[in-house]
Amino acid sequence: MNRSSEWGWWGFGTLVVVFMTTPLILVVLFSFGESALTNFPMGGITGKWYDELFANREFWKAFRNSLTIAGVVVVVSTGIGTMAALTLARMRPTLSQPLLIALCLPVMMPPLVIAIALLVYYVRWVGVELSLFTVILGHLLVTQPFVILIVYARMATFNYELIDSARDLGANSWITFLTVTLPIIRSTVIGAALIALAVSLDEFLITFFTISGGNTLPTFVFGKIRTEMDPTINAIATILLVLTVSSTIIAMKVSRYRA
Amino acid sequence: MVNDRGNQLNQKDSPLVRLRDLSKSFGRVEAVKSINLDIKSRDFLAILGPSGCGKTTLLRLIGGFAEPSNGTIEIGGNDVTRLGPERRPTNMVFQGYGLFPHMTVRENIAYGLKIQKVSQSEREQRVDDVIGLVRLEELADRGTGELSGGQQQRAALARAIVMRPQVLLLDEPLAALDLKLRQAMQEELRRIHNEIGGTFVFVTHDQGEALALSNRIAVMDEGNIVQEGGPEDIYASPESRFVSTFIGEANILSGRRQNSVVTLAAGLDLPSSSGPDGAVILVIRPEAVQILSDNSQVDVRTEGTIVDKVYLGAYVRFQIQLSSDEFITANVPTLNLSKEYFSGDRIAVGWAGKDHRILMDS
């Protein structure tokens, strides 16, 4: 490759990165700006939008809902997803591949379709009242595949002789899981849990359709955009950004460790 | 050897392990075909065979890692056929060692005792004892990833024998080691077997290893045990073409038997051979074949042409073409060679009648 075309590729790459990250940077920037218009000039640096946000009881409710949902989702999807992945990994490929595709179908479908389907299912078919519980079920649907895929991929390089060794030394399958399998794949499982956390925290569509009353952080932001477009939205967005980005970074770090 | 997990064998003569009509199929593939085998207490048994002969499957059946399709396994008088590995008085040294990477050597060795809830003082004592036995004192508190292949091998061995199994199973224990280490570990295994006096069963495809280590060998081919006995018996009296060529080197000459006379294609008549008429083979080891000077007296004598000659220090290896166009290899001790021979020389070769075996050609 000659020099000028190399420069061309670099330039193009830089443009793409700038185009994709500028909105994020602006959101963070404006969340600290004096101006109420989300526009330049943004005036001086201030923390007042955060103060305003933290004084808002609706925000705290939404925040608490988000954490409750994410907490349950992380624990349940990590637990069930890990078990599913371990089982799938020991199956014959002719059996495990179709099952894997079926289990991962939810992430291949448009979230809007899932959201509408869930709403109809809950209300028309099951007749269950919409609540945080229904939101949690919806989130499990889309976080589970991530956990399954991540843990399943790890098991491809797992040394099953270790499990045979543990059984040989007198451990039943549960003790083998706790003392051998889990400690060895621990970092992968933590990584998968953090990804589930990130997905759940900023999930909007399914939450919006199945929560009925109440808010999570994303639906709270959406509500504010429709009524009062003020920089507290930027403050919430920044908080969400920090939460999801940091959990994803930790997830990547932790799962790279011992990969 | 005292055992905590099963009954101690009372009668000395009855076998410790008894396999009856044991078979295992994977789909349509029969890996192990109706095997009957007795293993006596204190045996060092080699299950020897080429890759794919079912020997590892047989070992895994004994250890409880595979469920037999048919037949029974008894250990120490108890039927263990349906028991999982955690409930059998056996322990296995895996081919890849199977050491837990998140534990130190000492933790690896103590793992089984912890699960058995052996008291801490006894546990420490027993772990220290086996660490001494396999000479890993210096490395006991290292992670297993810091160990060399031979050290990992010894750690895996220690982890199995600390459980005091009635039967210790070893799956190709030395296959992953280089030649020098392999020889050192052979000695180590023999020493440990002598010191703790247990019953060892190991699987190998290396006939040299089987001869060097074991006091009994079961030769497997295509899922069957084709011959079983002491190393000397198997080497000196192979019962089939497969066994004769798989264990040690052998020259095979074809012939026919009719009315108790064997006529070889190479133009030799060997009288007084009992057995049914039909196609036979004559098996003779290269070291039994002599190059004859004119006056020497041997039972079997024929002529041939040297086609190749390799000097190997202690002996010289000749390839000799017989009149039947069959080739015969002779390993002649260098000290026994009275004159020098060259490729192309016509020579007389022969051997003592007791050294060859005549087998039905199957």
Side-chain angles (χ1 to χ4, degrees):
Chain A
M1 204 187 286
N2 65 43
R3 243 188 125 69
S4 64
S5 79
E6 197 170 318
W7 277 108
W9 280 111
W10 270 104
F12 179 68
T14 312
L15 262 178
V16 170
V17 171
V18 167
F19 181 75
M20 303 222 313
T21 51
T22 305
L24 294 177
I25 293 167
L26 284 182
V27 161
V28 177
L29 209 57
F30 283 130
S31 76
F32 291 104
E34 281 275 7
S35 164
L37 291 171
T38 312
N39 210 338
F40 284 113
M42 57 178 239
I45 302 282
T46 178
K48 69 176 179 188
W49 306 121
Y50 287 90
D51 292 337
E52 196 175 303
L53 184 65
F54 294 156
N56 185 342
R57 291 189 50 209
E58 289 305 310
F59 164 75
W60 286 111
K61 271 193 200 158
F63 192 56
R64 206 174 49 237
N65 283 343
S66 270
L67 289 188
T68 308
I69 293 168
V72 176
V73 164
V74 163
V75 171
V76 176
S77 70
T78 306
I80 296 178
T82 302
M83 292 300 168
L86 292 182
T87 311
L88 284 168
R90 297 218 86 166
M91 286 180 175
R92 281 178 288 119
T94 48
L95 202 62
S96 67
Q97 291 310 319
L99 278 174
L100 202 60
I101 291 169
L103 283 167
C104 295
L105 221 50
V107 283
M108 300 179 219
M109 285 201 294
L112 184 61
V113 175
I114 296 180
I116 294 171
L118 277 178
L119 180 63
V120 171
Y121 178 71
Y122 287 149
V123 175
R124 282 285 160 81
W125 287 59
V126 188
V128 68
E129 201 133 320
L130 297 181
S131 64
L132 290 193
F133 177 68
T134 51
V135 177
I136 288 171
L137 288 182
H139 281 200
L140 285 177
L141 205 59
V142 289
T143 53
Q144 197 98 274
F146 288 106
V147 178
I148 293 176
L149 285 173
I150 292 168
V151 178
Y152 181 80
R154 169 65 184 87
M155 294 315 283
T157 57
F158 190 82
N159 178 6
Y160 284 98
E161 219 171 47
L162 300 176
I163 290 177
D164 281 349
S165 293
R167 301 276 318 272
D168 188 54
L169 294 165
N172 62 32
S173 40
W174 180 238
I175 292 176
T176 302
F177 173 73
L178 286 182
T179 58
V180 176
T181 316
L182 189 57
I184 291 172
I185 65 167
R186 189 187 54 200
S187 53
T188 307
V189 172
I190 293 174
L194 290 171
I195 301 246
L197 176 71
V199 170
S200 171
L201 274 182
D202 67 7
E203 208 293 320
F204 173 71
L205 276 168
I206 294 173
T207 316
F208 184 71
F209 274 75
T210 58
I211 197 168
S212 86
N215 273 316
T216 64
L217 283 183
T219 62
F220 179 66
V221 171
F222 182 69
K224 275 184 96 63
I225 289 173
R226 286 203 301 185
T227 54
E228 48 200 312
M229 186 77 178
D230 75 21
T232 54
I233 292 170
N234 294 330
I236 303 171
T238 305
I239 291 169
L240 266 177
L241 197 66
V242 168
L243 283 177
T244 53
V245 168
S246 57
S247 74
T248 309
I249 288 174
I250 295 172
M252 284 165 71
K253 283 248 177 212
V254 169
S255 45
R256 179 105 14 122
Y257 174 75
R258 224 199 243 282
Chain B
M1 200 167 180
V2 185
N3 188 278
D4 305 331
R5 278 203 263 164
N7 294 343
Q8 181 67 1
L9 198 66
N10 294 323
Q11 300 113 308
K12 270 209 158 132
D13 296 340
S14 68
L16 177 63
V17 180
R18 213 195 286 256
L19 310 181
R20 287 292 172 268
D21 301 322
L22 198 64
S23 67
K24 172 69 182 174
S25 303
F26 297 102
R28 263 168 294 166
V29 182
E30 239 188 328
V32 167
K33 297 171 190 164
S34 193
I35 278 183
N36 287 289
L37 181 68
D38 289 343
I39 303 169
K40 287 198 283 292
S41 190
R42 294 179 154 255
D43 262 352
F44 198 146
L45 171 77
I47 300 172
L48 173 65
S51 58
C53 71
K55 56 191 190 298
T56 293
T57 304
L58 180 60
L59 196 74
R60 290 180 68 83
L61 286 172
I62 300 173
F65 297 101
E67 213 174 308
S69 311
N70 217 334
T72 56
I73 304 167
E74 262 178 43
I75 301 177
N78 302 316
D79 186 340
V80 299
T81 315
R82 303 286 153 204
L83 298 185
E86 71 272 22
R87 295 173 61 202
R88 292 198 187 188
T90 57
N91 282 105
M92 173 106 95
V93 177
F94 292 88
Q95 191 170 6
Y97 313 135
L99 293 171
F100 305 129
H102 56 301
M103 298 181 193
T104 64
V105 172
R106 189 184 295 279
E107 287 165 346
N108 262 281
I109 297 172
Y111 182 86
L113 297 179
K114 265 192 189 163
I115 283 174
Q116 277 190 2
K117 301 206 165 65
V118 173
S119 73
Q120 190 178 351
S121 56
E122 188 195 337
R123 192 167 75 218
E124 280 169 6
Q125 184 61 47
R126 279 167 69 174
V127 169
D128 280 341
D129 285 351
V130 291
I131 286 175
L133 185 70
V134 299
R135 299 172 179 153
L136 279 176
E137 295 94 339
E138 315 276 298
L139 304 166
D141 296 306
R142 299 254 188 105
T144 56
E146 298 169 56
L147 268 51
S148 72
Q151 290 159 350
Q152 289 186 28
Q153 167 75 72
R154 281 184 283 161
L157 191 60
R159 190 177 64 174
I161 57 188
V162 78
M163 304 305 292
R164 298 179 181 163
Q166 287 189 33
V167 188
L168 180 70
L169 309 170
L170 304 109
D171 186 8
E172 298 267 6
L174 310 176
L177 306 178
D178 61 53
L179 181 66
K180 215 166 167 190
L181 211 50
R182 195 150 58 212
Q183 284 165 348
M185 276 308 296
Q186 282 184 8
E187 272 167 44
E188 196 95 330
L189 273 177
R190 261 201 309 268
R191 175 181 66 82
I192 289 167
H193 183 250
N194 284 338
E195 270 180 44
I196 66 175
T199 307
F200 288 18
V201 178
F202 82 109
V203 149
T204 182
H205 64 272
D206 181 339
Q207 44 103 9
E209 201 170 288
L211 293 171
L213 282 175
S214 56
N215 70 330
R216 274 180 69 224
I217 298 176
V219 186
M220 278 189 77
D221 185 29
E222 292 178 354
N224 293 305
I225 290 181
V226 290
Q227 192 171 352
E228 189 222 322
E232 298 88 354
D233 299 335
I234 299 233
Y235 187 81
S237 317
E239 284 164 9
S240 65
R241 177 197 282 262
F242 172 79
V243 173
S244 66
T245 52
F246 192 73
I247 289 105
E249 260 188 288
N251 294 300
I252 307 273
L253 301 176
S254 59
R256 287 198 69 77
R257 175 160 42 208
Q258 200 141 34
N259 304 325
S260 295
V261 176
V262 169
T263 310
L264 294 181
L268 276 168
D269 284 343
L270 307 170
S272 67
S273 159
S274 57
D277 290 354
V280 294
I281 55 170
L282 178 142
V283 178
I284 179 78
R285 300 284 180 193
E287 67 270 21
V289 180
Q290 305 162 31
I291 292 184
L292 306 169
S293 49
D294 286 341
N295 53 1
S296 50
Q297 290 294 312
V298 292
D299 306 327
V300 183
R301 184 186 180 108
T302 184
E303 292 209 328
T305 310
I306 298 175
V307 293
D308 192 27
K309 174 188 156 190
V310 185
Y311 176 73
L312 291 166
Y315 56 92
V316 181
R317 186 178 174 83
F318 294 96
Q319 288 285 341
I320 299 148
Q321 188 169 18
L322 303 180
S323 62
S324 58
D325 281 348
E326 288 170 308
F327 293 93
I328 188 166
T329 303
N331 291 342
V332 184
T334 311
L335 293 174
N336 293 5
L337 282 171
S338 50
K339 56 173 273 206
E340 206 170 343
Y341 294 94
F342 299 97
S343 282
D345 285 0
R346 285 290 293 172
I347 50 157
V349 292
W351 55 85
K354 66 172 174 54
D355 288 338
H356 71 226
R357 282 182 64 78
I358 289 169
L359 308 171
M360 294 304 292
D361 192 6
S362 47

